[in-house]
Amino acid sequence: MNDGVRAAFRVRRGGFALDVAFKAPARGITALHGPSGSGKTSILRALAGLDRLDGRCTVAGEVWQDDDVFRPPHRRAVGYIFQEPSLFAHLSVRDNLIFGMPRRERRAQGAVFDETVERLGITGLLDRDPRHLSGGERQRVAIGRALLSRPRLMLMDEPLAALDPDAKDRILELIEELPRDFAVPVVYVGHDMREIERIAHHIVLVDKGRILAEGPLGRLQADPTLPLSAARDAAVAVDATVAGHDAAWGLLSLAVGEVRLLVPGEARPLGAAQRLRIAASDVSISLLPPVDSSILNSVRVAVAAAEPAGPAETLLVLDLLDAPGQRLLARISRRSFAELDLRPGRAVHAQIKGVALAG
Amino acid sequence: MGMSEDLWSPVRLTLELAALTTLVLFIVGTPLAWWLAGTRARWKEAVAAIVALPLVLPPTVIGFYLLVALGPSGPGGWIAGLWGGRTLAFSFTGLLIGSVVYSLPFVVQPLRNAFEAVGERPLEVAATLRASPFEAFRRVALPLARRGFLTAGVLGFAHTIGEFGVVLMIGGNIPGETKVLSTAIYDYVETQRWQEANLLAAGMVLFAFAAILLVGLSDGAARRARA
C-alpha cells in the first residue's frame, strides 16, 4: 500500500516554534510554500531524518519515525536535493552519480544508469570534474545521483535558488517530469510561487511554524481566505488537456471540463496534459456574453465569493459553470463590482485576456 | 663500533621512532580530531586544551610527569611488569609513548582543521545517499581531508625527530635503544666531536626545510585547486 507521506513534527528552539502535521500524496509534486524562516527547510530535514524533531513520519506505508522508531537518514529511501548542488569535490561526475547505488551495481552500471544519465542530459559530463560544471549542470548531476539511489521520496530544498533564469527554466522542466518518468513523489520547498504554479499538484502553506492550509494547488490559490489570493500576482493554475490545434491561426485548443480555451501555441498531441496559468488581473467580468470582442476566451462563471483587495479593488472567486470544481480569480475595480452588482451566486461571463502555458 | 655505525645508529633509531610515533598518532589522533571537529559537547574545548598542552609546556615538565607515569610506581611500571620488566622509562617503548604525547597536538590540530573544513554538508549528502556514518567517514570525510593527513603526518614526523627535552628526561641516552639524533648531537658537542655534530645538525636542517616546504607546496596546491 502506498499512501504517500504523512508527517507531524514539533520543535521549540529558542524563539522558533514549529508544530505541523500534513500529508503529501503518493503521486505528483507537493510544494511546501511559505516565507523564509517559516520552517519549510526544518520540515524537509526532519522528513529526511537529518534533524531529529519530536513527531512521526510514514512514507509509502513504512514508518520512518514515531514514538518508538527513528530511522537514521541512511536507512530512509530519500533523495535529497540541497539548495546549492552539493557534489563531492573529490569524485568525478560518474563517481558522484554511482555513490548511492548498491555496491554490486556500482561497478557494472547497467541500463538504469544509462537511461537516467540520458534522461538528465548529462551523458557528456560523466568524466568531468564537478568543480568545472555550471550551476545547472551540477544540479542535474545532483538530481541524477539522488534518483540512482532509488528513492521512494524526493525531497528538494529550493533547488533553483543558486541558478540563473535560463538554467532554472530547464531544471524546472526536469523536476516537473520526475514523478512520471521516475515514479517517485516529490516534496518541493519553494518560496517563489511562479515555480510552484508550474510544477506542483498539491500545496502545503507554511507560516511561522504552522500549516495554514493544504490541498490541491488550484483550490488553495482560489481560496480568498489565504494569502496566495491576496498577492499582487495572484493566479490560478488550471490543468487542461489538448483538444485540438488550429494551424491557420496558430491556436491551441485546450479542454477544461466542457470549456474550450484558445491559446497561441504549437500543435501538441491530442489528450496531452497542459497546465495553464490565469492571473487574477487578466480576468474581467461582463454581465452579457461579449460580442465583437478581441478577447478569445470567455467562460460562464458564477461568483462564489468577493473580498476587498486594497482601497480600489475587489477580488472575485469564480466557479466555472462548464467545468465543475474549477475556479478562477478576478481582480476588478471596486466601482465595477458595485455597479455590476456582483453578489455571490450571480452568473456572469468572465473574459480571460491572457492564458499562459505553464510547464 | 666504527665511526659510521656510531653515526648511523641514532639516525636509524630516530627514523624508526618517528615513523612508529606517526603511525600511532594517526590511529589515536584521527578519531580524536574527528570527535573534536564534530561534537557539540560542552567540554570539547577542555579536551582540545589538554591535547594542546605540549605546545606550551616546557618539555622538561612533560618529561618529568612521563618519567613518573612510566616509572616503577606508575602505570608504566605496572604494564612493564606484565612481561617481567620494572619500568617503561629508559626504553624504546617509553620513548614511543612520550613522543606520542609530545607530538599529539601536531597531528590532532591539522586533522581537526581538515575535518572542520569538510563541513557537515558532504556528510549529510552521503547520509541521504544511504551511506552509514562510518561509510560517510571513509568515502567522503577521509578523502576530502587528505591534505590534512599529509600536513599532520609531516608535522608529527618532523616534530618527533626534533624532540630533545622529553627524550633527555625519559630516554636515558642508551645507544641503540634510546639514543636518538638530538641527544646524539648533544653528546658529540659535549665531547667536542664537532665534525660529527655538524654532520647530524646540517642533516636536520635540510630535513626540516624539506618537510616545511612539502607542507607549504601541498597547501598551495590545495588553494589553487579551490580557486
Side-chain angles (χ1 to χ4, degrees), chain A residues 176-254:
Chain A
E176 192 184 356
E177 287 162 4
L178 287 183
R180 196 187 62 232
D181 289 2
F182 295 94
V184 62
V186 177
V187 175
Y188 182 99
V189 161
H191 71 267
D192 183 348
M193 204 48 207
R194 286 298 187 118
E195 294 169 11
I196 290 170
E197 282 166 351
R198 272 187 59 175
I199 60 168
H201 311 98
H202 194 84
I203 181 167
V204 178
L205 293 179
V206 191
D207 190 32
K208 298 190 184 78
R210 298 192 167 271
I211 304 285
L212 281 185
E214 60 174 307
L217 175 66
R219 186 160 70 68
L220 265 58
Q221 284 179 311
D223 185 335
T225 65
L226 295 175
L228 290 182
S229 64
R232 225 25 249 175
D233 58 350
V236 176
V238 177
D239 284 311
T241 50
V242 174
H245 187 253
D246 184 342
W249 300 109
L251 290 173
L252 201 54
S253 170
L254 295 153

Side-chain angles (χ1 to χ4, degrees), chain B residues 69-83 85-88:
Chain B
L70 297 174
S73 45
W78 182 84
I79 293 171
L82 294 179
W83 56 86
R86 212 176 63 80
T87 173
L88 282 180

Side-chain angles (χ1 to χ4, degrees), chain A residues 4 9 26 31 38 58 64 66 77 85 90 96 101 116 126 131 169 177 218 271 275 277-278 317 335:
Chain A
F9 299 112
S38 55
T58 307
W64 285 4
D66 65 14
H90 63 295
N96 264 282
M101 292 168 70
T116 307
L126 287 179
R131 287 172 294 191
D169 217 49
E177 287 162 4
R275 175 166 286 188
R277 178 181 191 272
I278 300 176
V317 180
R335 177 175 153 178

Side-chain angles (χ1 to χ4, degrees), chain A residues 71-318:
Chain A
R71 283 201 195 185
H74 69 278
R75 298 199 43 237
R76 303 183 183 205
V78 293
Y80 200 108
I81 306 298
F82 294 87
Q83 264 191 31
E84 70 293 347
S86 310
L87 301 184
F88 297 125
H90 63 295
L91 297 175
S92 69
V93 167
R94 180 190 298 274
D95 287 338
N96 264 282
L97 285 166
I98 64 175
F99 188 93
M101 292 168 70
R103 188 186 302 267
R104 66 199 130 68
E105 290 174 28
R106 270 183 235 150
R107 220 156 287 168
Q109 299 125 30
V112 177
F113 179 86
D114 294 340
E115 280 162 24
T116 307
V117 165
E118 176 85 2
R119 177 67 193 79
L120 290 169
I122 50 176
T123 315
L125 308 177
L126 287 179
D127 297 312
R128 299 266 294 275
D129 179 330
R131 287 172 294 191
H132 300 147
L133 302 183
S134 74
E137 288 171 332
R138 285 184 207 188
Q139 205 56 294
R140 269 171 200 277
V141 175
I143 292 171
R145 181 176 64 176
L147 287 170
L148 286 167
S149 75
R150 308 245 183 96
R152 303 182 77 167
L153 175 64
M154 274 294 256
L155 302 172
M156 306 186 124
D157 187 2
E158 308 220 13
L160 311 181
L163 304 183
D164 61 75
D166 207 36
K168 254 183 198 175
D169 217 49
R170 277 172 293 150
I171 299 284
L172 214 48
E173 263 170 47
L174 176 69
I175 294 172
E176 192 184 356
E177 287 162 4
L178 287 183
R180 196 187 62 232
D181 289 2
F182 295 94
V184 62
V186 177
V187 175
Y188 182 99
V189 161
H191 71 267
D192 183 348
M193 204 48 207
R194 286 298 187 118
E195 294 169 11
I196 290 170
E197 282 166 351
R198 272 187 59 175
I199 60 168
H201 311 98
H202 194 84
I203 181 167
V204 178
L205 293 179
V206 191
D207 190 32
K208 298 190 184 78
R210 298 192 167 271
I211 304 285
L212 281 185
E214 60 174 307
L217 175 66
R219 186 160 70 68
L220 265 58
Q221 284 179 311
D223 185 335
T225 65
L226 295 175
L228 290 182
S229 64
R232 225 25 249 175
D233 58 350
V236 176
V238 177
D239 284 311
T241 50
V242 174
H245 187 253
D246 184 342
W249 300 109
L251 290 173
L252 201 54
S253 170
L254 295 153
V256 184
E258 299 302 311
V259 176
R260 294 288 178 277
L261 297 173
L262 296 175
V263 186
E266 287 164 16
R268 295 199 52 200
L270 283 183
Q274 173 65 55
R275 175 166 286 188
L276 306 171
R277 178 181 191 272
I278 300 176
S281 53
D282 280 344
V283 178
S284 58
I285 302 295
S286 65
L287 296 180
L288 297 171
V291 283
D292 303 335
S293 168
S294 70
I295 291 171
L296 286 171
N297 296 300
S298 171
V299 292
R300 300 196 304 134
V301 295
V303 177
E307 289 284 323
E313 289 179 321
T314 299
L315 184 77
L316 298 178
V317 180
L318 307 167

Side-chain angles (χ1 to χ4, degrees), chain A residues 60-75:
Chain A
E62 281 180 359
V63 176
W64 285 4
Q65 181 180 355
D66 65 14
D67 292 342
D68 310 313
V69 178
F70 181 82
R71 283 201 195 185
H74 69 278
R75 298 199 43 237

